[in-house]
mmCIF file with all atom_site columns, all heavy atoms in Angstrom:
data_model
loop_
_atom_site.group_PDB
_atom_site.id
_atom_site.type_symbol
_atom_site.label_atom_id
_atom_site.label_alt_id
_atom_site.label_comp_id
_atom_site.label_asym_id
_atom_site.label_entity_id
_atom_site.label_seq_id
_atom_site.pdbx_PDB_ins_code
_atom_site.Cartn_x
_atom_site.Cartn_y
_atom_site.Cartn_z
_atom_site.occupancy
_atom_site.B_iso_or_equiv
_atom_site.pdbx_formal_charge
_atom_site.auth_seq_id
_atom_site.auth_comp_id
_atom_site.auth_asym_id
_atom_site.auth_atom_id
_atom_site.pdbx_PDB_model_num
ATOM 1   N N   . TYR I 1 289 ? 126.017 84.015  100.196 1.00 98.00 ? 837 TYR I N   1
ATOM 2   C CA  . TYR I 1 289 ? 126.111 85.363  100.736 1.00 98.00 ? 837 TYR I CA  1
ATOM 3   C C   . TYR I 1 289 ? 124.795 85.747  101.439 1.00 98.00 ? 837 TYR I C   1
ATOM 4   O O   . TYR I 1 289 ? 124.364 86.877  101.406 1.00 98.00 ? 837 TYR I O   1
ATOM 5   C CB  . TYR I 1 289 ? 126.424 86.384  99.641  1.00 98.00 ? 837 TYR I CB  1
ATOM 6   C CG  . TYR I 1 289 ? 127.782 86.080  98.954  1.00 98.00 ? 837 TYR I CG  1
ATOM 7   C CD1 . TYR I 1 289 ? 127.811 85.390  97.744  1.00 98.00 ? 837 TYR I CD1 1
ATOM 8   C CD2 . TYR I 1 289 ? 128.989 86.485  99.538  1.00 98.00 ? 837 TYR I CD2 1
ATOM 9   C CE1 . TYR I 1 289 ? 129.010 85.093  97.141  1.00 98.00 ? 837 TYR I CE1 1
ATOM 10  C CE2 . TYR I 1 289 ? 130.177 86.212  98.907  1.00 98.00 ? 837 TYR I CE2 1
ATOM 11  C CZ  . TYR I 1 289 ? 130.204 85.517  97.724  1.00 98.00 ? 837 TYR I CZ  1
ATOM 12  O OH  . TYR I 1 289 ? 131.411 85.247  97.102  1.00 98.00 ? 837 TYR I OH  1
ATOM 13  N N   . LEU I 1 290 ? 124.188 84.775  102.088 1.00 98.00 ? 838 LEU I N   1
ATOM 14  C CA  . LEU I 1 290 ? 122.967 84.986  102.838 1.00 98.00 ? 838 LEU I CA  1
ATOM 15  C C   . LEU I 1 290 ? 123.220 86.018  103.915 1.00 98.00 ? 838 LEU I C   1
ATOM 16  O O   . LEU I 1 290 ? 124.188 85.899  104.674 1.00 98.00 ? 838 LEU I O   1
ATOM 17  C CB  . LEU I 1 290 ? 122.496 83.651  103.449 1.00 98.00 ? 838 LEU I CB  1
ATOM 18  C CG  . LEU I 1 290 ? 121.317 83.690  104.407 1.00 98.00 ? 838 LEU I CG  1
ATOM 19  C CD1 . LEU I 1 290 ? 120.075 84.219  103.727 1.00 98.00 ? 838 LEU I CD1 1
ATOM 20  C CD2 . LEU I 1 290 ? 121.099 82.296  104.992 1.00 98.00 ? 838 LEU I CD2 1
ATOM 21  N N   . ASN I 1 291 ? 122.351 87.010  103.989 1.00 96.00 ? 839 ASN I N   1
ATOM 22  C CA  . ASN I 1 291 ? 122.571 88.135  104.896 1.00 96.00 ? 839 ASN I CA  1
ATOM 23  C C   . ASN I 1 291 ? 121.312 88.385  105.698 1.00 96.00 ? 839 ASN I C   1
ATOM 24  O O   . ASN I 1 291 ? 120.291 88.793  105.178 1.00 96.00 ? 839 ASN I O   1
ATOM 25  C CB  . ASN I 1 291 ? 122.924 89.384  104.060 1.00 96.00 ? 839 ASN I CB  1
ATOM 26  C CG  . ASN I 1 291 ? 123.053 90.637  104.900 1.00 96.00 ? 839 ASN I CG  1
ATOM 27  O OD1 . ASN I 1 291 ? 123.167 90.587  106.126 1.00 96.00 ? 839 ASN I OD1 1
ATOM 28  N ND2 . ASN I 1 291 ? 123.024 91.774  104.254 1.00 96.00 ? 839 ASN I ND2 1
ATOM 29  N N   . ASP I 1 292 ? 121.371 88.068  106.984 1.00 96.00 ? 840 ASP I N   1
ATOM 30  C CA  . ASP I 1 292 ? 120.392 88.516  107.942 1.00 96.00 ? 840 ASP I CA  1
ATOM 31  C C   . ASP I 1 292 ? 121.011 89.684  108.705 1.00 96.00 ? 840 ASP I C   1
ATOM 32  O O   . ASP I 1 292 ? 122.234 89.823  108.698 1.00 96.00 ? 840 ASP I O   1
ATOM 33  C CB  . ASP I 1 292 ? 120.035 87.369  108.888 1.00 96.00 ? 840 ASP I CB  1
ATOM 34  C CG  . ASP I 1 292 ? 119.140 87.812  110.032 1.00 96.00 ? 840 ASP I CG  1
ATOM 35  O OD1 . ASP I 1 292 ? 118.100 88.426  109.753 1.00 96.00 ? 840 ASP I OD1 1
ATOM 36  O OD2 . ASP I 1 292 ? 119.468 87.536  111.199 1.00 96.00 ? 840 ASP I OD2 1
ATOM 37  N N   . GLN I 1 293 ? 120.223 90.491  109.341 1.00 96.00 ? 841 GLN I N   1
ATOM 38  C CA  . GLN I 1 293 ? 120.726 91.627  110.085 1.00 96.00 ? 841 GLN I CA  1
ATOM 39  C C   . GLN I 1 293 ? 120.695 91.300  111.594 1.00 96.00 ? 841 GLN I C   1
ATOM 40  O O   . GLN I 1 293 ? 119.597 91.259  112.171 1.00 96.00 ? 841 GLN I O   1
ATOM 41  C CB  . GLN I 1 293 ? 119.929 92.893  109.800 1.00 96.00 ? 841 GLN I CB  1
ATOM 42  C CG  . GLN I 1 293 ? 120.006 93.360  108.362 1.00 96.00 ? 841 GLN I CG  1
ATOM 43  C CD  . GLN I 1 293 ? 119.027 94.441  108.042 1.00 96.00 ? 841 GLN I CD  1
ATOM 44  O OE1 . GLN I 1 293 ? 118.080 94.676  108.785 1.00 96.00 ? 841 GLN I OE1 1
ATOM 45  N NE2 . GLN I 1 293 ? 119.229 95.144  106.934 1.00 96.00 ? 841 GLN I NE2 1
ATOM 46  N N   . PRO I 1 294 ? 121.832 91.086  112.229 1.00 96.00 ? 842 PRO I N   1
ATOM 47  C CA  . PRO I 1 294 ? 121.801 90.904  113.686 1.00 96.00 ? 842 PRO I CA  1
ATOM 48  C C   . PRO I 1 294 ? 121.102 92.095  114.329 1.00 96.00 ? 842 PRO I C   1
ATOM 49  O O   . PRO I 1 294 ? 121.348 93.258  113.984 1.00 96.00 ? 842 PRO I O   1
ATOM 50  C CB  . PRO I 1 294 ? 123.285 90.858  114.068 1.00 96.00 ? 842 PRO I CB  1
ATOM 51  C CG  . PRO I 1 294 ? 123.977 90.381  112.816 1.00 96.00 ? 842 PRO I CG  1
ATOM 52  C CD  . PRO I 1 294 ? 123.202 90.973  111.694 1.00 96.00 ? 842 PRO I CD  1
ATOM 53  N N   . GLN I 1 295 ? 120.209 91.803  115.263 1.00 95.00 ? 843 GLN I N   1
ATOM 54  C CA  . GLN I 1 295 ? 119.304 92.829  115.786 1.00 95.00 ? 843 GLN I CA  1
ATOM 55  C C   . GLN I 1 295 ? 119.217 92.776  117.299 1.00 95.00 ? 843 GLN I C   1
ATOM 56  O O   . GLN I 1 295 ? 119.213 91.710  117.891 1.00 95.00 ? 843 GLN I O   1
ATOM 57  C CB  . GLN I 1 295 ? 117.903 92.633  115.193 1.00 95.00 ? 843 GLN I CB  1
ATOM 58  C CG  . GLN I 1 295 ? 116.861 93.644  115.621 1.00 95.00 ? 843 GLN I CG  1
ATOM 59  C CD  . GLN I 1 295 ? 115.466 93.285  115.116 1.00 95.00 ? 843 GLN I CD  1
ATOM 60  O OE1 . GLN I 1 295 ? 115.287 92.275  114.466 1.00 95.00 ? 843 GLN I OE1 1
ATOM 61  N NE2 . GLN I 1 295 ? 114.495 94.100  115.407 1.00 95.00 ? 843 GLN I NE2 1
ATOM 62  N N   . MET I 1 296 ? 119.131 93.963  117.927 1.00 96.00 ? 844 MET I N   1
ATOM 63  C CA  . MET I 1 296 ? 118.909 94.021  119.353 1.00 96.00 ? 844 MET I CA  1
ATOM 64  C C   . MET I 1 296 ? 117.891 95.109  119.682 1.00 96.00 ? 844 MET I C   1
ATOM 65  O O   . MET I 1 296 ? 117.674 96.054  118.880 1.00 96.00 ? 844 MET I O   1
ATOM 66  C CB  . MET I 1 296 ? 120.213 94.309  120.129 1.00 96.00 ? 844 MET I CB  1
ATOM 67  C CG  . MET I 1 296 ? 120.845 95.675  119.889 1.00 96.00 ? 844 MET I CG  1
ATOM 68  S SD  . MET I 1 296 ? 122.352 95.897  120.911 1.00 96.00 ? 844 MET I SD  1
ATOM 69  C CE  . MET I 1 296 ? 123.369 94.567  120.357 1.00 96.00 ? 844 MET I CE  1
ATOM 70  N N   . ILE I 1 297 ? 117.209 94.952  120.805 1.00 95.00 ? 845 ILE I N   1
ATOM 71  C CA  . ILE I 1 297 ? 116.160 95.858  121.185 1.00 95.00 ? 845 ILE I CA  1
ATOM 72  C C   . ILE I 1 297 ? 116.317 96.273  122.650 1.00 95.00 ? 845 ILE I C   1
ATOM 73  O O   . ILE I 1 297 ? 116.970 95.594  123.442 1.00 95.00 ? 845 ILE I O   1
ATOM 74  C CB  . ILE I 1 297 ? 114.746 95.257  120.966 1.00 95.00 ? 845 ILE I CB  1
ATOM 75  C CG1 . ILE I 1 297 ? 114.583 93.972  121.791 1.00 95.00 ? 845 ILE I CG1 1
ATOM 76  C CG2 . ILE I 1 297 ? 114.517 94.991  119.479 1.00 95.00 ? 845 ILE I CG2 1
ATOM 77  C CD1 . ILE I 1 297 ? 113.201 93.392  121.778 1.00 95.00 ? 845 ILE I CD1 1
ATOM 78  N N   . PHE I 1 298 ? 115.733 97.425  122.971 1.00 96.00 ? 846 PHE I N   1
ATOM 79  C CA  . PHE I 1 298 ? 115.745 97.926  124.355 1.00 96.00 ? 846 PHE I CA  1
ATOM 80  C C   . PHE I 1 298 ? 114.570 98.886  124.469 1.00 96.00 ? 846 PHE I C   1
ATOM 81  O O   . PHE I 1 298 ? 113.900 99.231  123.481 1.00 96.00 ? 846 PHE I O   1
ATOM 82  C CB  . PHE I 1 298 ? 117.081 98.633  124.652 1.00 96.00 ? 846 PHE I CB  1
ATOM 83  C CG  . PHE I 1 298 ? 117.418 98.753  126.103 1.00 96.00 ? 846 PHE I CG  1
ATOM 84  C CD1 . PHE I 1 298 ? 117.086 97.748  127.008 1.00 96.00 ? 846 PHE I CD1 1
ATOM 85  C CD2 . PHE I 1 298 ? 118.098 99.871  126.572 1.00 96.00 ? 846 PHE I CD2 1
ATOM 86  C CE1 . PHE I 1 298 ? 117.423 97.856  128.350 1.00 96.00 ? 846 PHE I CE1 1
ATOM 87  C CE2 . PHE I 1 298 ? 118.432 99.972  127.905 1.00 96.00 ? 846 PHE I CE2 1
ATOM 88  C CZ  . PHE I 1 298 ? 118.088 98.981  128.792 1.00 96.00 ? 846 PHE I CZ  1
ATOM 89  N N   . ALA I 1 299 ? 114.276 99.332  125.688 1.00 94.00 ? 847 ALA I N   1
ATOM 90  C CA  . ALA I 1 299 ? 113.176 100.282 125.892 1.00 94.00 ? 847 ALA I CA  1
ATOM 91  C C   . ALA I 1 299 ? 113.490 101.206 127.038 1.00 94.00 ? 847 ALA I C   1
ATOM 92  O O   . ALA I 1 299 ? 114.231 100.865 127.983 1.00 94.00 ? 847 ALA I O   1
ATOM 93  C CB  . ALA I 1 299 ? 111.872 99.513  126.184 1.00 94.00 ? 847 ALA I CB  1
ATOM 94  N N   . VAL I 1 300 ? 112.979 102.445 126.955 1.00 95.00 ? 848 VAL I N   1
ATOM 95  C CA  . VAL I 1 300 ? 113.169 103.437 128.003 1.00 95.00 ? 848 VAL I CA  1
ATOM 96  C C   . VAL I 1 300 ? 111.853 104.173 128.212 1.00 95.00 ? 848 VAL I C   1
ATOM 97  O O   . VAL I 1 300 ? 110.941 104.141 127.392 1.00 95.00 ? 848 VAL I O   1
ATOM 98  C CB  . VAL I 1 300 ? 114.272 104.459 127.663 1.00 95.00 ? 848 VAL I CB  1
ATOM 99  C CG1 . VAL I 1 300 ? 115.597 103.789 127.470 1.00 95.00 ? 848 VAL I CG1 1
ATOM 100 C CG2 . VAL I 1 300 ? 113.875 105.278 126.396 1.00 95.00 ? 848 VAL I CG2 1
#
Side-chain angles (χ1 to χ4, degrees):
Y837 301 97
L838 174 61
N839 176 15
D840 173 51
Q841 296 170 344
Q843 181 186 2
M844 66 177 60
I845 59 173
F846 202 35
V848 299

